Structures are given as C-alpha cells and as structure tokens.
C-alpha cells in the first residue's frame, strides 16, 4: 500500500503523473468496481483531488482524496483544511466519467473557475448549502495548480485565498479573544495562501488585495475608547496606501486612516489633551485632501471629506454626536 502522508515531491516520484491529477465538479461516489450496483467505498466532494489510474467506457479508476490534509502540509502543519477533520481516507475505486476535470481538459481553467464562482455565489446565500464555500475554495485553487499559464490563474489563486481567509476570520471573530485590544492576544489568521499570491503575482491587483486583507492580523480587536489603537492603525493604512498606490484598495486604506484620525480627535478631547486633539484634526484634514488629490473619482474621497468637515465643525466622529 502507499503511505498517504506524502509530500507532492514524493507523490511525483511515486509516479503520479501531473496529467493524471484531476478534480470533480460534483459529489462523486467511488465504487469498488465499474458498476453502480457494487459497493460504495468513498465519496469525493467538489474540488478534492483524484488520481486517474485507468479508463473503462463510462468509468474511471482513481485514487480518491489523495489531497487529504494537503493544505496543512503546504506551509503550516497545525492549520486544518477549511473543511475540518472529516476528510475521508484515500481509496482506490471507480467513479463515473462525468465532471472529472484535469490539466488535459479542454477549457478546463474556465470550467473550474466558473464552477468555483457558482459555489461561491451559493455560499453567499442566506441558507447556503453546507460545503459550498469549501468547494469554491478548492476549485479556485485547482486553476493555478492545473493551468498556471491561464489568464484566470492569478484571480483564482486570490479568490481561493480570500475565501479561506474570510472563513477563518469568521471563526476567530466568535472567540472571546476577538475583543482583545492587541492583535497578538488572539489567534492569527493563516497567511500562507495570501503570501503565495503576493509571491506568485507581484505587482498585480491581487497581490495588493492580499496585502490589504493581511492587515486584519495587525488590527486591534477593540479600541476600548483609547487612542493607542486607531493611532497605530492609521499608520498601517497610510503605509499600505504608499506601498500599493495603484492597487484597488489604496483609496479605501486612506479613508480608513482618515476615519481613525477623526476618531482620535474625540478620544484626545475626552482625555483633555487639546494639543494632541488639534494635531489629529490637522492630520484628518490632510489625509482627506490627499485622498481627494490622488483618487478624485473614488467615493472614499467624498466620505473622507465629510469626516474632515465634521472634525472642522467640532462634531465628534466617535461616540455621541448630539449637542
């Protein structure tokens, strides 16, 4: 028998031909023989990998779920696969030759991307089917994997990383530690997939998006009414906007910095530190003007202008604004 805890290199050495790798677009039963009446031995869910061993009429013989625990072994052994622990043990058997997509499938990159996008849309519905988000994540992941030269590869890699990030962020947000002021007091969201996007597609809009999303791991859980956090976060957003000025998140980052400086104006007033409050007011106005100069078409420019106006009018941006 083959040991299943193998690295990709070991798999290739063991004769796993790249062309033999494939995934399924729908739930596929694995049967003990090429016969729908034979015993079912496993189930392959969308996006999980199989290795095609042979074909026989409408049937394909596969090693199923060869990627169990794949995510974890990639970078970080203590990070679970998105779907948790219920990954079936790999098994050799037969599946119907339907919806099996691999590197040799004509137009396979579009098919995988489209199937992933459909699952992602389902996952965003109020009563999302169980497993839709994970299926989207895995199917997107297969696009750069099987079709590295596809024009869809960069966006698919980003979307796969983004779905995983959002699922983990949701998990972290339900923990008591989510309210901690300092980021290091709560579990960090796994960065491996985002860092891969940045490394594989430097200078792309997707690298800029990945860098923006990773700021989540540095932000405070709760400001607790103190200026320390919004001051620190202002710095993070300003630095980000300098680093990725042409990225799709630059205007939003400058807006976030403007808003935080507006908040700080009020916090320092509460602490009766008029000097620091006035300095923050000056920074709020300067950031809003920078945003308008650099990204005049963005609605974030107008939103920042409204924050700056409130500050200049002495209306609190944070807390109770009734006079």
């Amino acid at each position: 028998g083959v040991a299943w805890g193998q690295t990709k290199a070991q798999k290739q050495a063991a004769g796993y031909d790249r062309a033999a790798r494939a995934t399924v677009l729908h739930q596929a039963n694995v049967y003990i023989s090429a016969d729908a009446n034979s015993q079912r031995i496993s189930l392959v869910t969308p996006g999980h990998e199989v290795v095609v061993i042979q074909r026989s009429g409408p049937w394909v013989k596969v090693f199923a779920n060869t990627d169990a625990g794949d995510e974890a072994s990639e970078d970080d052994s203590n990070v679970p696969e998105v779907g948790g622990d219920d990954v079936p043990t790999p098994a050799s058997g037969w599946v119907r030759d339907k919806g099996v997509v691999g590197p040799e499938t004509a137009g396979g990159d579009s098919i995988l991307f489209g199937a992933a996008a459909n699952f992602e849309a389902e996952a965003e519905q109020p009563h999302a089917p169980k497993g839709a988000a994970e299926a989207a994540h895995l199917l997107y992941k297969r696009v750069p994997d099987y079709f590295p030269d596809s024009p869809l590869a960069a966006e698919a890699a980003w979307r796969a990383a983004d779905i995983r990030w959002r699922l983990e962020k949701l998990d972290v947000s339900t923990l008591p530690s989510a309210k901690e002021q300092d980021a290091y007091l709560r579990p960090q969201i796994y960065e491996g997939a985002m860092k891969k996007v940045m490394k594989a597609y430097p200078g792309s809009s997707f690298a800029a998006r990945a860098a923006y999303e990773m700021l989540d791991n540095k932000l405070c859980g709760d400001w607790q009414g103190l200026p320390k956090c919004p001051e620190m976060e202002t710095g993070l957003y300003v630095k980000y906007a300098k680093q990725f000025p042409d990225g799709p998140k630059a205007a939003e980052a400058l807006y976030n910095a403007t808003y935080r400086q507006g908040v700080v104006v009020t916090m320092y007033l509460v602490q009766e530190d008029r000097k620091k409050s006035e300095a923050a007011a000056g920074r709020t106005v300067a950031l809003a003007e920078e945003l308008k100069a650099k990204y005049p078409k963005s609605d974030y420019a107008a939103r920042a202008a409204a924050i700056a106006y409130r500050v200049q009018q002495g209306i609190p941006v944070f807390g109770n604004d009734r006079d």
Side-chain angles (χ1 to χ4, degrees):
V2 185
W4 290 108
Q6 293 179 315
T7 64
K8 285 196 174 129
Q10 284 168 317
K11 281 180 187 175
Q12 279 151 0
Y16 277 25
D17 178 13
R18 182 173 168 275
R21 289 169 62 202
T23 189
V24 294
L25 300 182
H26 61 106
Q27 292 206 346
N29 287 315
V30 184
Y31 296 94
I32 205 156
S33 57
D35 173 6
N37 296 317
S38 67
Q39 186 194 340
R40 283 191 308 187
I41 50 174
S42 183
L43 178 74
V44 185
T45 52
H48 276 291
E49 280 204 309
V50 296
V51 174
V52 176
I53 307 165
Q54 70 180 89
R55 292 176 187 273
S56 171
W59 293 88
V60 194
K61 189 176 191 186
V62 296
F63 275 129
N65 295 316
T66 52
D67 61 341
D70 197 20
E71 300 263 68
S73 63
E74 268 175 30
D75 317 68
D76 196 342
S77 55
N78 59 10
V79 174
E81 170 91 17
V82 176
D85 303 327
D86 51 353
V87 189
T89 315
S92 153
W94 294 84
V95 296
R96 289 187 186 276
D97 194 357
K98 287 198 290 199
V100 180
V101 178
E104 309 296 299
T105 307
D109 54 342
S110 293
I111 294 164
L112 289 171
F113 190 95
N118 287 337
F119 276 115
E120 187 176 13
E122 277 185 26
E124 283 164 3
Q125 296 304 313
H127 304 288
K130 187 183 182 302
E134 191 202 359
H137 160 73
L138 289 172
L139 286 164
Y140 278 134
K141 206 176 138 190
R142 301 298 164 218
V143 178
D145 217 6
Y146 295 172
F147 303 96
D149 301 326
S150 163
L152 296 169
E155 183 168 357
W158 150 250
R159 286 191 180 196
D162 174 53
I163 290 169
R164 181 171 185 184
W165 188 272
R166 284 187 288 159
L167 289 172
E168 271 199 55
K169 185 177 174 177
L170 199 62
D171 281 350
V172 169
S173 73
T174 61
L175 303 171
S177 59
K179 296 277 183 280
E180 291 289 355
Q181 194 176 20
D182 295 313
Y184 68 85
L185 294 172
R186 62 174 191 265
Q188 292 286 283
I189 302 166
Y190 170 76
E191 293 184 343
M194 288 292 178
K195 285 180 171 165
K196 249 181 161 169
V197 170
M198 292 186 69
K199 197 175 160 189
Y201 309 104
S204 70
S205 67
F206 306 110
R209 285 178 190 277
Y212 186 80
E213 205 142 19
M214 285 199 295
L215 292 175
D216 284 341
N217 272 341
K218 298 197 174 95
L219 301 176
C220 293
D222 189 326
W223 293 342
Q224 296 169 7
L226 300 170
K228 182 182 92 164
C229 277
E231 285 281 32
M232 179 274 292
E233 291 175 4
T234 300
L236 284 178
Y237 284 119
V238 167
K239 187 181 167 192
Y240 174 87
K242 274 198 180 71
Q243 204 176 343
F244 300 96
D246 304 323
K249 292 290 187 178
E252 187 177 339
L254 277 180
Y255 168 76
N256 282 333
T258 310
Y259 171 72
R260 278 156 179 76
Q261 280 305 301
V263 165
V264 165
V265 171
T266 313
M267 287 177 170
Y268 283 130
L269 274 182
V270 170
Q271 294 184 355
E272 296 183 354
D273 192 333
R274 188 159 288 281
K275 199 176 161 199
K276 281 190 173 168
S277 181
E278 283 168 6
R283 273 200 300 275
T284 308
V285 172
L287 283 164
E289 284 170 357
E290 184 186 344
L291 218 174
K292 189 169 188 254
K294 287 184 176 164
Y295 310 103
K297 289 195 176 73
S298 166
D299 70 343
Y300 285 112
R303 289 175 63 182
I307 298 274
Y309 179 76
R310 284 182 75 128
V311 164
Q312 286 168 318
Q313 293 284 307
I315 306 166
V317 172
F318 182 71
N320 190 339
D321 66 357
R322 272 181 303 196
D323 267 339

